[in-house]
Amino acid sequence: METQRIGIVISSSRPTRIGPKVAQWVSTVAPAGVDVEIVDLADVDLPFLAEPEQPATGNYTMPSTTSWSERVRSYDALILAVPEYNAGYPAVLKNAIDTLHAEWKGLPIGVIGYGWGAAAGAVRQLGEVLDRVQAVTLAGPGLSFGQHLTPEGELLEAAPADDVRGLYDQVLAAARERVPA
């Protein structure tokens, strides 16, 4: 059987973010035989809605968009590590979603919110957007400050590793059932 590739997306670009620590921890919980790669949206560095045509046309002209499209298509699934900013998710993640179109259809995407209240507001809003772009959204565990991790991003003993393993199981099962767009 072919090795499944999962991208773990750091969906914040703030200089003081803890997303890299969360994504690294999520990657350590991956099952054996799964190829995981951390995708940092700060490094992807997409310009803000800069394509001259609507993403639905698929006529990408910018190298950054073409590269992002190819990268997303190279994964069997994604897991998004999502913080909450003012009851929503980061603009850099919204831009990364809105820059593409067909790439999302049917793509299994697991979501792990982190922050105060496990980023419940951000995860809820993101779910609506992922549904709109026809991704297969799979809810993962939330990580709450004080219970699962510190505000500095250090994972605590109570961090739900078993729940993350369960999310991997769901994401991999959805990837095996996927009919690419």
Side-chain angles (χ1 to χ4, degrees), residues 150-175:
T150 68
E152 297 77 31
E154 302 306 320
L155 277 292
L156 301 174
E157 191 174 321
D162 287 341
D163 292 342
V164 174
R165 286 184 194 96
L167 177 61
Y168 272 109
D169 290 344
Q170 292 176 59
V171 165
L172 291 167

Short mmCIF file of all heavy atoms in Angstrom, two decimals, residues 150-175:
data_model
loop_
_atom_site.label_atom_id
_atom_site.label_comp_id
_atom_site.label_asym_id
_atom_site.label_seq_id
_atom_site.Cartn_x
_atom_site.Cartn_y
_atom_site.Cartn_z
N THR A 150 0.60 25.23 27.77
CA THR A 150 0.83 26.53 28.39
C THR A 150 0.64 27.62 27.33
O THR A 150 0.71 27.33 26.13
CB THR A 150 2.27 26.64 28.95
OG1 THR A 150 3.20 26.65 27.86
CG2 THR A 150 2.60 25.49 29.91
N PRO A 151 0.44 28.87 27.74
CA PRO A 151 0.35 29.95 26.76
C PRO A 151 1.62 30.11 25.92
O PRO A 151 1.58 30.71 24.85
CB PRO A 151 0.10 31.19 27.63
CG PRO A 151 -0.59 30.66 28.84
CD PRO A 151 0.07 29.32 29.09
N GLU A 152 2.73 29.54 26.37
CA GLU A 152 3.98 29.56 25.60
C GLU A 152 4.08 28.38 24.63
O GLU A 152 5.06 28.27 23.90
CB GLU A 152 5.18 29.55 26.55
CG GLU A 152 5.26 30.76 27.46
CD GLU A 152 4.28 30.71 28.65
OE1 GLU A 152 3.95 29.61 29.13
OE2 GLU A 152 3.82 31.79 29.06
N GLY A 153 3.09 27.49 24.65
CA GLY A 153 3.06 26.38 23.71
C GLY A 153 3.67 25.08 24.19
O GLY A 153 3.81 24.15 23.40
N GLU A 154 3.99 25.00 25.45
CA GLU A 154 4.52 23.74 25.98
C GLU A 154 3.35 22.81 26.25
O GLU A 154 2.39 23.19 26.91
CB GLU A 154 5.33 23.98 27.26
CG GLU A 154 6.49 24.94 27.08
CD GLU A 154 7.45 24.56 25.96
OE1 GLU A 154 7.74 23.36 25.81
OE2 GLU A 154 7.90 25.47 25.24
N LEU A 155 3.42 21.59 25.73
CA LEU A 155 2.35 20.62 25.90
C LEU A 155 2.43 20.02 27.30
O LEU A 155 3.51 19.69 27.78
CB LEU A 155 2.44 19.51 24.86
CG LEU A 155 1.81 19.83 23.50
CD1 LEU A 155 0.32 19.95 23.59
CD2 LEU A 155 2.40 21.02 22.81
N LEU A 156 1.28 19.91 27.94
CA LEU A 156 1.19 19.36 29.28
C LEU A 156 0.85 17.87 29.20
O LEU A 156 0.40 17.37 28.15
CB LEU A 156 0.13 20.12 30.08
CG LEU A 156 0.37 21.63 30.23
CD1 LEU A 156 -0.80 22.31 30.91
CD2 LEU A 156 1.67 21.89 30.98
N GLU A 157 1.02 17.19 30.31
CA GLU A 157 0.77 15.74 30.36
C GLU A 157 -0.65 15.39 29.94
O GLU A 157 -0.88 14.33 29.35
CB GLU A 157 1.05 15.23 31.77
CG GLU A 157 1.08 13.72 31.86
CD GLU A 157 1.51 13.24 33.23
OE1 GLU A 157 2.42 13.85 33.82
OE2 GLU A 157 0.91 12.26 33.70
N ALA A 158 -1.59 16.27 30.20
CA ALA A 158 -3.00 16.00 29.86
C ALA A 158 -3.33 16.23 28.39
O ALA A 158 -4.47 16.04 27.98
CB ALA A 158 -3.91 16.87 30.73
N ALA A 159 -2.35 16.63 27.59
CA ALA A 159 -2.60 16.84 26.15
C ALA A 159 -3.18 15.55 25.56
O ALA A 159 -2.67 14.46 25.82
CB ALA A 159 -1.32 17.24 25.44
N PRO A 160 -4.24 15.67 24.76
CA PRO A 160 -5.00 14.50 24.31
C PRO A 160 -4.36 13.74 23.13
O PRO A 160 -4.90 13.70 22.02
CB PRO A 160 -6.35 15.10 23.93
CG PRO A 160 -6.00 16.48 23.47
CD PRO A 160 -4.86 16.92 24.35
N ALA A 161 -3.22 13.12 23.38
CA ALA A 161 -2.51 12.39 22.32
C ALA A 161 -3.39 11.30 21.72
O ALA A 161 -3.37 11.10 20.50
CB ALA A 161 -1.22 11.81 22.87
N ASP A 162 -4.15 10.59 22.55
CA ASP A 162 -5.01 9.53 22.02
C ASP A 162 -6.08 10.10 21.09
O ASP A 162 -6.42 9.47 20.08
CB ASP A 162 -5.66 8.72 23.14
CG ASP A 162 -4.66 7.80 23.84
OD1 ASP A 162 -3.60 7.51 23.24
OD2 ASP A 162 -4.95 7.38 24.98
N ASP A 163 -6.60 11.27 21.41
CA ASP A 163 -7.60 11.90 20.55
C ASP A 163 -6.98 12.34 19.22
O ASP A 163 -7.62 12.27 18.17
CB ASP A 163 -8.25 13.10 21.24
CG ASP A 163 -9.12 12.68 22.43
OD1 ASP A 163 -9.49 11.50 22.52
OD2 ASP A 163 -9.39 13.55 23.28
N VAL A 164 -5.73 12.79 19.25
CA VAL A 164 -5.04 13.16 18.01
C VAL A 164 -4.80 11.90 17.18
O VAL A 164 -4.98 11.90 15.96
CB VAL A 164 -3.73 13.91 18.29
CG1 VAL A 164 -2.95 14.16 17.00
CG2 VAL A 164 -4.02 15.24 19.00
N ARG A 165 -4.42 10.80 17.83
CA ARG A 165 -4.28 9.53 17.10
C ARG A 165 -5.60 9.14 16.44
O ARG A 165 -5.62 8.65 15.30
CB ARG A 165 -3.80 8.43 18.04
CG ARG A 165 -2.35 8.55 18.43
CD ARG A 165 -1.88 7.37 19.30
NE ARG A 165 -0.61 7.68 19.90
CZ ARG A 165 -0.45 8.18 21.13
NH1 ARG A 165 -1.49 8.39 21.91
NH2 ARG A 165 0.75 8.46 21.59
N GLY A 166 -6.70 9.35 17.16
CA GLY A 166 -8.02 9.07 16.58
C GLY A 166 -8.32 9.95 15.38
O GLY A 166 -8.91 9.50 14.40
N LEU A 167 -7.88 11.22 15.43
CA LEU A 167 -8.05 12.11 14.29
C LEU A 167 -7.24 11.60 13.11
O LEU A 167 -7.74 11.60 11.97
CB LEU A 167 -7.65 13.54 14.65
CG LEU A 167 -7.74 14.56 13.51
CD1 LEU A 167 -9.17 14.68 12.99
CD2 LEU A 167 -7.21 15.91 13.97
N TYR A 168 -6.02 11.17 13.35
CA TYR A 168 -5.23 10.58 12.26
C TYR A 168 -5.97 9.40 11.64
O TYR A 168 -6.01 9.27 10.41
CB TYR A 168 -3.86 10.11 12.76
CG TYR A 168 -2.77 11.15 12.74
CD1 TYR A 168 -2.30 11.70 13.92
CD2 TYR A 168 -2.20 11.56 11.55
CE1 TYR A 168 -1.27 12.64 13.91
CE2 TYR A 168 -1.18 12.50 11.53
CZ TYR A 168 -0.73 13.04 12.71
OH TYR A 168 0.28 13.98 12.69
N ASP A 169 -6.55 8.54 12.47
CA ASP A 169 -7.29 7.39 11.94
C ASP A 169 -8.43 7.85 11.03
O ASP A 169 -8.62 7.29 9.95
CB ASP A 169 -7.86 6.54 13.08
CG ASP A 169 -6.80 5.80 13.87
OD1 ASP A 169 -5.66 5.67 13.39
OD2 ASP A 169 -7.13 5.36 15.00
N GLN A 170 -9.15 8.87 11.45
CA GLN A 170 -10.27 9.39 10.64
C GLN A 170 -9.77 10.01 9.34
O GLN A 170 -10.36 9.79 8.27
CB GLN A 170 -11.04 10.46 11.42
CG GLN A 170 -11.80 9.95 12.62
CD GLN A 170 -12.44 11.12 13.35
OE1 GLN A 170 -13.24 11.85 12.75
NE2 GLN A 170 -12.09 11.32 14.60
N VAL A 171 -8.72 10.80 9.43
CA VAL A 171 -8.17 11.48 8.26
C VAL A 171 -7.65 10.46 7.25
O VAL A 171 -7.90 10.57 6.04
CB VAL A 171 -7.07 12.48 8.69
CG1 VAL A 171 -6.23 12.94 7.52
CG2 VAL A 171 -7.67 13.67 9.41
N LEU A 172 -6.95 9.44 7.74
CA LEU A 172 -6.41 8.42 6.85
C LEU A 172 -7.52 7.60 6.19
O LEU A 172 -7.45 7.27 5.01
CB LEU A 172 -5.44 7.52 7.60
CG LEU A 172 -4.13 8.19 8.01
CD1 LEU A 172 -3.37 7.34 9.01
CD2 LEU A 172 -3.27 8.51 6.80
N ALA A 173 -8.57 7.29 6.96
CA ALA A 173 -9.70 6.55 6.39
C ALA A 173 -10.38 7.38 5.31
O ALA A 173 -10.71 6.87 4.23
CB ALA A 173 -10.70 6.18 7.49
N ALA A 174 -10.57 8.67 5.56
CA ALA A 174 -11.19 9.55 4.56
C ALA A 174 -10.30 9.68 3.33
O ALA A 174 -10.79 9.73 2.19
CB ALA A 174 -11.48 10.93 5.17
N ALA A 175 -8.98 9.71 3.53
CA ALA A 175 -8.06 9.82 2.41
C ALA A 175 -8.13 8.56 1.53
O ALA A 175 -8.06 8.65 0.30
CB ALA A 175 -6.64 10.04 2.90
#
